[in-house]
Amino acid sequence: QTKPNLRQLPTTDLVQLFAHRNQWWRLQAQKLVLERQDKSIVPALKKLFAENEDAAVRLHVFYALDGLESMNAELVRQAMNDKHPAVRKAGVEMAERFPETIALLQKAINDSSAQVAFQAVLSIGEFPSRQAIQPLSEAIKKYGENKWFRTAVLSSVPGSSMEFFELLYKQNYFSDKSKGSSVSLLNDLSFIIKKRNKEDEVRKLSEMLNSAGLTP
């Protein structure tokens, strides 16, 4: 079956195709909208994003708005509060670019969807340590038994910092040696800090480990 040539359609008509039940039509509409970069349709796309009941449609529109350089903090907040986890996850990913969404990002750590929560941990790790360390410590307490979440925390600069270790140390996170997660995190975090080979950090780490009788 021959596919129709949508290039002949005006951009305003392409907006309507974002709501088509067939994914092919939605993808072609999104592709052409991004090629044309006609920002006059942005209000119509925002309306569609706010009102359409299909999560797949909302995702297409969300990424199209980003491609049209029309993403903003309010759209990100809408996405992060969406009823569908796929849209919330997209919003959490985009939140890295909008510091004013940090409160919602911290809240997303407790999302009912593990995928959204996992992405929230990754995204929070992109923020400065002063904003990221506390929520990352909460994530470790909640998901520390999961090696993927531990890796997500440690993959960030704040989550592998001496400041992060000190916070967990003060909160007695490492004191329960029967918890495999705390032992694993202690080993991994100590290894990373020592590998950076910053003299002050290594000395402080060693002193804290010795005083607490901890052996990584």
Side-chain angles (χ1 to χ4, degrees), residues 62-63 66 71 76 89-98 123:
F62 187 68
Y63 287 122
D66 184 47
M71 187 57 60
V76 172
K89 181 174 179 289
V92 167
E93 291 173 348
M94 206 69 70
E96 297 174 14
R97 289 158 43 185
F98 298 93
S123 295

Side-chain angles (χ1 to χ4, degrees), residues 14-209:
L14 291 176
V15 173
Q16 300 174 27
L17 294 180
F18 273 85
H20 200 284
R21 62 183 180 181
N22 187 298
Q23 185 185 36
W24 183 88
W25 291 82
R26 297 197 301 268
L27 286 171
Q28 295 306 307
Q30 183 176 348
K31 176 184 175 182
L32 290 173
V33 160
L34 295 183
E35 286 181 2
R36 294 179 185 181
Q37 288 293 306
D38 181 356
K39 292 181 175 57
S40 68
I41 63 169
V42 166
L45 286 175
K46 287 183 177 180
K47 187 173 186 295
L48 190 61
F49 179 68
E51 297 177 358
N52 195 276
E53 290 297 314
D54 189 332
V57 171
R58 296 197 298 278
L59 275 175
H60 281 295
V61 173
F62 187 68
Y63 287 122
L65 285 166
D66 184 47
L68 289 171
E69 299 181 348
S70 299
M71 187 57 60
N72 57 43
E74 182 53 37
L75 281 169
V76 172
R77 290 191 187 98
Q78 279 183 252
M80 293 173 77
N81 285 313
D82 197 272
K83 59 187 177 183
H84 197 282
V87 182
R88 294 201 300 276
K89 181 174 179 289
V92 167
E93 291 173 348
M94 206 69 70
E96 297 174 14
R97 289 158 43 185
F98 298 93
E100 58 268 49
T101 64
I102 185 67
L104 272 180
L105 199 51
Q106 292 171 352
K107 183 181 176 182
I109 289 177
N110 298 307
D111 195 276
S112 57
S113 164
Q115 289 188 331
V116 176
F118 184 76
Q119 182 59 54
V121 172
L122 291 172
S123 295
I124 285 173
E126 296 299 314
F127 281 76
S129 291
R130 58 185 172 78
Q131 293 174 297
I133 285 178
Q134 181 60 43
L136 288 179
S137 73
E138 294 170 6
I140 278 295
K141 292 171 192 171
K142 186 176 179 68
Y143 304 108
E145 296 294 331
N146 186 302
K147 67 176 182 179
W148 298 111
F149 273 90
R150 290 200 306 272
T151 301
V153 170
L154 291 168
S155 68
S156 68
V157 173
S160 61
S161 65
M162 189 63 201
E163 291 85 356
F164 183 62
F165 175 85
E166 288 180 283
L167 177 60
L168 292 177
Y169 178 88
K170 290 175 183 177
Q171 295 172 344
N172 297 314
Y173 179 78
F174 302 113
S175 61
D176 187 355
K177 298 179 183 179
S178 66
K179 286 180 61 177
S181 59
S182 65
V183 174
S184 296
L185 185 67
L186 177 63
N187 289 336
D188 293 341
L189 192 50
S190 298
F191 175 81
I192 293 170
I193 292 172
K194 289 178 179 178
K195 195 71 175 176
R196 279 202 296 265
N197 200 28
K198 292 184 178 179
E199 186 176 342
D200 290 345
E201 286 188 350
V202 173
R203 185 178 65 253
K204 183 182 287 188
L205 175 66
S206 297
E207 290 173 354
M208 293 173 74
L209 291 174

